[in-house]
Every structure is written in structure tokens, then in C-alpha cells.
Amino acid sequence: MAKTAREIALEVIHRVHKTGSYANLLLPKKLRESDLDRRDKAFTTELTYGTLRAKGTLDWIIQQFSKQKPDKIPDLVLDLTRMSVYQIMYMDVPDHASVNEAVLIAKKNFHPGISKFVNGLLRTIAREKDNLPWPDKEKDPARYISLKYFHPPWIVKMWIEEFGIEQTEALCEADNRPPKLVIRVNTLKITPEKLTDELKEAGWQVEPGMYMPEALVAKDAGDITRVPQFKEGQFYAQDESSMIIAHVVDPQPGETILDVAAAPGGKTTHMAQLMHNKGQILSVDVNPNRVNLLKQNIQRMGATIAQAIKADATKLKSVVKKPVDRILC
């Protein structure tokens, strides 16, 4: 039997928490293998990433109403509960649908006592969601903003010192909105104008980015990995804030660049195109699985001057044999 959108989201969330898997690698694979339509894939994506981002806040909410502390709830049950609370609190999903679907999954995977626990807890949270005992904003603004908008406390404290309480809250709220899909045109292979025309012919809505000439904002794109332009390395999914970094490094043709913690390769392949594939880029990452992904992206994007290297960035004497012109760390 084909898995539902929520079952796929739960599987990915649980594997990320249990094994340290990368959601951005695991989820697209699961979606490609599924029978979900475009709308359900978008729902699964928002649910998965949202639940992972909001983990600390979701656990705090669960703790307010559960007789069992989160660390005493079985792992898979806790992830199911987190996922359902995220729908109740942050998604445009009817509360009864969030509860009922969670109970169905619980009945399918656990004994009756678990489904009763999930049902009771979620119904209570849905009923009381507007009365949560958030920390006092006046007395402890950093904790209030950190919990409500699920941002790390150290970032919130730093932003409050820099921008003030109200602007920090607005910033965190904006930061949680689903981002637009931005792609970086690989100018080693195609121009932004030509790629725009091709993608529009394929049914995409495409418009120029805000800052980078090689950036395009795509709408109604569906699974971008299925289009031939992606497979041929004509573009890379990358936010403009990430694209800016390669321009700050400003690598010049013929130079030797060291890219530390380089996987999955967005900035490495971007620097290669800015260098017109002339020079050398040493792209280092310590994780073997991420190095494999780095190699795949280097090959797909045609970044022939880039070399993917598995190494510890604190021990590079055996890797870097000659002086380098610039380092991206």
C-alpha cells in the first residue's frame, strides 16, 4: 500500500532524528519514489522541514500538556506527535484532520494505548493552543521569541542587542515563512535568458532574482530534479544569500581556491563558473557521504577545475601542497 504524505514525512523526520540523515537528501528521494501528486509533495515538504526546524518549540508545547516528558515518550511516537503539533500550530490544516490522521498512523503502527495517548494529547493541544503559557515577553524577550519562533537563543539575544526586541521578533517571524525556490543559472553551460525561455516552455513561472544576475525565481516548478535542464547541470537550486558568498570571495580565473566544508557544492560550483573553469578549487569536506554528493554536483555542473577531497579541515597539510590565493571557510 502506498504511503500517505504524513507517513513519508514521519519516516524522514524519524530517520533524521535517529540516524543523523540529511533531510535535504532523504526527502527528495522519498518523494520521487512516492505516488503523491504535486500538492501532496508540497505538503510533505513543508511538514517535514517545519517539524525539524521547530523541534525545540514542539517539545516545549508537548511538555505543557503531556503527563510524560518528551524524553520518556518512544522516539517514533514523539516524532508523530511533533509532526501533528506542527500542523495544529503552524500549518493551514484543520485541527480535527491533524488529530485524526495522527491517530490512524498510531493505530497502524502501535498498540491501542499509544493511539489513545496521541488522541488525548493532540486534542488537548488543539483546544488550548491559543492559551499557551509562553514566557513573559517583557521579562524575558529572548526566551519568548526563541520559543515562539523556534530560533536558537544565542541568535535571538544577539539580534535583540543589534536590532531591538520588536525588529528581532519581526525578523524571526519572517524567517519562518516558506522561501521562494531560487535557482542559479550555470553560465558555463547556458545564459539566464535562454534557460528562462526553456523553463517557461516547460510550464514554469520564472522571473529574475533580486540581486544576482545568474539568479532566477521559479514558481510551480514541481520536482526540479526531473527536468532535463537540471540533469544536464544548467542550474543549481541555491538561495541568493548563498550566491552572494561566491561573489564576496571574488575568485579570479587562474587562481587556486580552498573551499572548506564544501559539500554539497553550491559555492564550489558557483566559484568555478565565476572563474570560467580556469584555475583550481580544492573542495574539502570531512563527511564521506557529503563528499560523494559534492563529487556528483561537481560533475553535473561541469566544474572541471574543482576537486572533491575527503579531509579534516583542521589537518590540511597533506591536502594543500602549494599556496592558495583565497579560502572560503
Side-chain angles (χ1 to χ4, degrees):
M1 182 181 294
K3 292 184 178 180
T4 66
R6 288 176 174 85
E7 286 175 325
I8 292 173
L10 177 60
E11 183 178 349
V12 174
I13 292 165
H14 187 60
R15 280 190 58 183
V16 169
H17 287 155
K18 197 72 176 175
T19 67
S21 301
Y22 292 98
N24 63 318
L25 304 182
L26 184 57
L27 179 60
K29 180 175 183 293
K30 293 294 181 183
L31 292 178
R32 286 194 297 271
E33 295 170 350
S34 74
D35 296 326
L36 301 180
D37 60 23
R38 179 182 295 185
R39 183 177 177 182
D40 281 341
K41 286 180 178 178
F43 173 85
T44 306
T45 300
E46 182 181 353
L47 178 57
T48 301
Y49 289 131
T51 301
L52 292 171
R53 286 198 307 269
K55 177 184 173 185
T57 299
L58 299 174
D59 285 356
W60 177 83
I61 294 171
I62 291 168
Q63 193 166 355
Q64 304 309 304
F65 301 103
S66 174
K67 294 180 181 178
Q68 290 182 296
K69 293 184 178 180
D71 59 0
K72 300 297 182 182
I73 301 173
D75 292 343
L76 187 59
V77 179
L78 181 57
D79 282 330
L80 172 61
T81 309
R82 287 168 173 152
M83 183 180 82
S84 305
V85 173
Y86 184 79
Q87 294 169 70
I88 292 169
M89 295 297 302
Y90 299 108
M91 292 182 70
D92 187 19
V93 178
D95 292 345
H96 66 85
S98 303
V99 176
N100 292 342
E101 291 297 325
V103 171
L104 287 175
I105 294 174
K107 287 181 176 178
K108 187 175 178 180
N109 292 276
F110 310 108
H111 61 77
I114 293 294
S115 60
K116 290 180 181 178
F117 167 78
V118 169
N119 181 58
L121 177 59
L122 294 180
R123 287 186 183 280
T124 301
I125 292 173
R127 186 173 61 249
E128 299 293 333
K129 65 180 180 180
D130 294 327
N131 302 310
L132 284 168
W134 298 108
D136 190 297
K137 183 178 177 180
E138 300 298 325
K139 294 180 179 179
D140 195 349
R143 179 163 169 75
Y144 169 82
I145 294 172
S146 175
L147 264 179
K148 191 161 187 180
Y149 301 101
F150 36 93
H151 276 62
W154 68 270
I155 288 181
V156 174
K157 290 177 182 177
M158 180 177 67
W159 284 350
I160 287 176
E161 291 178 4
E162 184 74 19
F163 305 117
I165 295 171
E166 299 305 321
Q167 193 170 347
T168 296
E169 184 174 10
L171 180 59
C172 290
E173 183 179 11
D175 206 23
N176 286 338
R177 294 174 194 153
K180 296 178 180 179
L181 172 62
V182 182
I183 61 175
R184 188 190 84 239
V185 181
N186 184 5
T187 52
L188 293 173
K189 297 189 175 186
I190 195 169
T191 64
E193 294 76 18
K194 189 170 190 307
L195 182 60
T196 297
D197 292 339
E198 290 186 6
L199 294 179
K200 284 183 175 179
E201 288 179 9
W204 292 30
Q205 294 183 45
V206 183
E207 58 189 42
M210 292 180 64
Y211 306 106
M212 300 289 103
E214 62 270 48
L216 297 176
V217 179
K219 301 177 181 178
D220 297 329
D223 184 355
I224 63 172
T225 64
R226 292 183 179 273
V227 299
Q229 289 86 354
F230 176 87
K231 296 176 181 177
E232 294 166 9
Q234 294 181 12
F235 69 85
Y236 190 101
Q238 186 176 24
D239 192 80
E240 282 191 88
S241 61
S242 181
M243 293 185 210
I244 289 172
I245 303 302
H247 286 275
V248 171
V249 177
D250 193 26
Q252 299 300 307
E255 290 185 336
T256 298
I257 311 296
L258 173 62
D259 187 357
V260 175
K267 298 177 186 69
T268 281
T269 55
H270 193 189
M271 289 191 293
Q273 84 182 52
L274 295 179
M275 296 167 71
H276 307 294
N277 253 347
K278 296 177 181 178
Q280 184 180 27
I281 302 176
L282 303 174
S283 303
V284 176
D285 204 283
V286 72
N287 185 299
N289 292 328
R290 289 176 64 81
V291 171
N292 288 335
L293 180 63
L294 176 61
K295 289 178 179 178
Q296 293 170 21
N297 282 323
I298 287 173
Q299 183 176 9
R300 182 175 66 83
M301 300 297 287
T304 56
I305 63 170
Q307 179 184 0
I309 303 168
K310 180 189 175 301
D312 184 336
T314 65
K315 304 171 184 176
L316 289 177
K317 288 185 178 179
S318 62
V319 174
V320 182
K321 302 290 188 181
K322 61 179 183 179
V324 299
D325 296 289
R326 303 169 199 253
I327 301 173
L328 171 56
C329 182

